[in-house]
Amino acid sequence: AERVTLSTRAGVRKPAREMFELAAERSGTGATLAECLFVTEEAKHLTAAKRLGLTVVRFGTGPGLEPAFGDWADAVAVLGKLVTG
């Protein structure tokens, strides 16, 4: 509960910079936005997060930003490629 950050409870809505900064702070890792990964199905959130310097991954099928996956079972492979290049 102390590491999960929901925009509905944070008082700041995605894709506001403050929302992502709060999530990074709550992670307890000292990570900057440039060191964070954001996964969502909302294309407008992905575009905004990318402009803020986050690494973005789209969840869902159909056209949109890449990388993406449509099934959580595929998430490990997609995220692994981001980490290993």
Side-chain angles (χ1 to χ4, degrees):
E2 57 191 58
R3 302 233 191 268
V4 175
T5 305
L6 303 173
S7 59
T8 55
R9 291 188 176 173
V12 182
R13 304 288 302 188
K14 294 179 301 249
R17 172 182 283 280
E18 295 82 8
M19 177 62 213
F20 296 110
E21 288 173 340
L22 179 60
E25 180 183 318
R26 292 190 68 185
S27 76
T29 64
T32 66
L33 293 185
E35 297 169 309
C36 292
L37 170 72
F38 180 60
V39 179
T40 187
E41 67 278 358
E42 291 287 334
K44 65 182 178 181
H45 293 167
L46 289 170
T47 302
K50 193 171 189 176
R51 278 196 304 263
L52 295 173
L54 285 85
T55 298
V56 299
V57 177
R58 182 178 58 86
F59 173 71
T61 58
L65 295 173
E66 297 296 330
F69 59 93
D71 185 319
W72 282 101
D74 300 326
V76 172
V78 171
L79 300 177
K81 287 180 185 177
L82 286 172
V83 172
T84 61

